[in-house]
Amino acid sequence: MATQHLSPALRAPAASAAYPMAKPGYGKRTAPDQQARTRHDFALLPTRERYVAGFVDHLPDGAAMSVKTLAKQLPLYGQQAISTALTALSVAGHLRRVRCAAGGSGDETRWVFRTFWSRTARDNEWWNTYLATEKAALAAAPAPAMSAPDMTPPPPWGPAEEPLPPAPESLDTDRAPEPTAVPQQRTPSPAPDAEPAPDAAGIAPVKPHASEADRSPAYLALARLGRNDHRLALSADDCTALEPQAAQWLARGVSIDYLTHALTAGLPAQVDSPLGFIRRRLTDKLPPQLTTENTRAATPAPTRRLLMECTDCGRPGQPEALPDGLCRPCHTTHTRNEEHTTHTAEIATVKAHMNNLRDLLKPV
C-alpha cells in the first residue's frame, strides 16, 4: 500500500516592495550607448562596489539615488559605506552627479539634480563631451513622475518581463455607452445687405451696441476711466473719438495699467471737460517709440546650464574642473587613501612571504 506524504502547499513568493522614486526632475538617468547587460559586468570592481553597482544598474530611470535611500535598500552596508562605494564608482567612470537650471521667478534659479549612470565605464573625456551636449541637458530636464507599477525594479537574477498585450476593445463590457450627441438647430443668419424692417409705427429699430469682446483694448481702457474716477466719466462717443490716440500709446509698447495711471495721476479737484482733459494728456504725455529689435536684444533667450557635482561633497563646477567626478580636495583625499591601502597590502604580502621563508629555514 502506497504511503501518502502530505505536505503544505508552497507559499507564494513575497512581492518586492516598490523602490522609492525621486521627485520629477531628480533621480537616476541612464547614459546612452551602453553595452548589453551580462553576468560579467563590474567584475573588476571590489566586492562592495560590485554589489552596489549591480543594484543601481537595475534601478529604473527616476529612482532616488541619495545615500540614505540606497542604505535603506541595501542592508549589508551603512550610509558611510554606500557613500564611499559611490565615490569609487565615480572614479571608475560609472557615475556622474549633475545639476541643471530649470528656470525660476525673477532673479531666482531653480535647480534639479540628476545622477547619470553608465553600465559601461567611461573616461573623463567621454563624460565631459556628453555633458556638454544638448542631449544631456534635455535628459536632466524635469520629467513627469512615473506611475506606481513602473516603480518596482526587476530583480538582477530574473529575466525582464514582457508587457502583456492590451485587452481588445470588444471585451470591455463595463464601459458605459456614450450619450448620443443631439444636433443643435441653427437659426438662419440674416443677409449682410439686408436692413431691419421698420416697426408698424414707422420707427426704425435702434442698432445694438457692439459687445465688450468686439471693442479694442484702447476703447475699453478709456471706458473704465469713469468707473475708477467719476471725474473722468466719458460717453460712448467720447471713447470712440479718443480711441485712435489711446491705441497709439498701446502701439508703442505700454500696458493698459501704464496708460490708466498716466491719465489718472494728479487729477485736479474738478474736471469740467473730461473729453478735452484726456485728449490733452494723451497728446502731451505720449511715450517715446521703442524699436522691436532693441526690445528683443535686451531679453535674450534663457540657456540651460548643466553643472557637475562632486560625488563626495556635492560641490558644483564645470565637468573639466572635476576629474573622475570629484573636486580637487576630494580627489586628493581619495588618491591618498588608495596609495595607503596599496602600501598596506604590499606590507602584508611582504610579511607573509618572510614568514614563509622562515618556516622553510627551520631545521626538521
Side-chain angles (χ1 to χ4, degrees):
M1 182 176 178
T3 304
Q4 295 181 356
H5 298 278
L6 301 178
S7 60
L10 297 177
R11 297 181 179 179
S16 58
Y19 186 84
M21 306 297 291
K23 296 181 180 180
Y26 301 83
K28 176 188 173 183
R29 272 303 197 202
T30 304
D33 304 332
Q34 299 189 41
Q35 298 178 0
R37 183 180 287 115
T38 62
R39 65 175 59 188
H40 302 291
D41 294 334
F42 319 112
L44 301 179
L45 296 176
T47 304
R48 180 182 61 187
E49 283 72 14
R50 184 168 63 249
Y51 178 77
V52 176
F55 180 81
V56 174
D57 187 51
H58 286 81
L59 293 178
D61 281 1
M65 287 291 294
S66 63
V67 174
K68 183 180 295 184
T69 304
L70 290 174
K72 289 182 180 179
Q73 302 297 323
L74 301 176
L76 296 182
Y77 303 103
Q79 296 186 19
Q80 185 64 33
I82 295 296
S83 177
T84 306
L86 293 179
T87 303
L89 292 176
S90 177
V91 175
H94 296 283
L95 180 144
R96 288 293 186 273
R97 293 189 185 273
V98 299
R99 62 171 63 180
C100 177
S105 59
D107 297 336
E108 298 180 357
T109 302
R110 186 173 65 90
W111 296 89
V112 294
F113 300 87
R114 287 287 192 188
T115 300
F116 282 96
W117 172 261
S118 175
R119 185 184 314 112
T120 305
R122 307 291 188 180
D123 55 4
N124 293 323
E125 183 179 359
W126 187 94
W127 279 113
N128 296 343
T129 304
Y130 172 68
L131 295 178
T133 60
E134 185 67 19
K135 184 177 180 181
L138 294 177
M146 300 177 60
S147 57
D150 298 333
M151 293 182 181
T152 305
W157 56 85
E161 297 181 0
E162 298 181 356
L164 297 177
E169 297 181 358
S170 58
L171 300 179
D172 192 1
T173 57
D174 298 337
R175 183 180 299 176
E178 298 181 356
T180 305
V182 181
Q184 299 181 357
Q185 297 181 359
R186 298 181 178 179
T187 57
S189 57
D193 298 337
E195 296 182 357
D199 296 345
I203 303 175
V206 181
K207 295 183 180 180
H209 295 284
S211 61
E212 186 175 354
D214 299 336
R215 297 294 187 181
S216 65
Y219 182 93
L220 297 177
L222 294 172
R224 294 192 183 99
L225 292 178
R227 300 182 181 181
N228 298 334
D229 197 318
H230 66 279
R231 291 172 290 182
L232 299 180
L234 298 174
S235 63
D237 295 338
D238 295 342
C239 294
T240 304
L242 297 174
E243 182 179 1
Q245 289 183 271
Q248 189 177 2
W249 279 56
L250 300 181
R252 298 197 173 196
V254 302
S255 61
I256 299 294
D257 295 338
Y258 182 90
L259 174 62
T260 304
H261 179 73
L263 297 178
T264 57
L267 292 178
Q270 183 178 356
V271 179
D272 297 332
S273 175
L275 175 62
F277 181 82
I278 295 178
R279 179 183 287 115
R280 182 62 181 270
R281 284 206 166 185
L282 288 174
T283 304
D284 296 344
K285 293 187 176 183
L286 184 65
Q289 179 70 38
L290 296 179
T291 58
T292 308
E293 297 180 357
N294 295 340
T295 304
R296 293 181 179 177
T299 57
T303 58
R304 291 188 180 274
R305 290 182 295 169
L306 194 63
L307 296 178
M308 186 185 294
E309 278 191 347
C310 177
T311 308
D312 194 3
C313 66
R315 180 180 300 176
Q318 296 297 329
E320 296 80 7
L322 280 77
D324 298 333
L326 300 176
C327 63
R328 188 180 301 274
C330 295
H331 194 276
T332 304
T333 303
H334 182 79
T335 305
R336 290 177 179 176
N337 292 338
E338 282 189 347
E339 294 177 355
H340 179 70
T341 303
T342 305
H343 186 62
T344 305
E346 291 178 354
I347 293 176
T349 304
V350 171
K351 289 183 176 180
H353 183 65
M354 294 300 296
N355 292 332
N356 188 22
L357 291 178
R358 292 190 184 97
D359 294 338
L360 295 176
L361 295 175
K362 290 181 180 180
V364 180

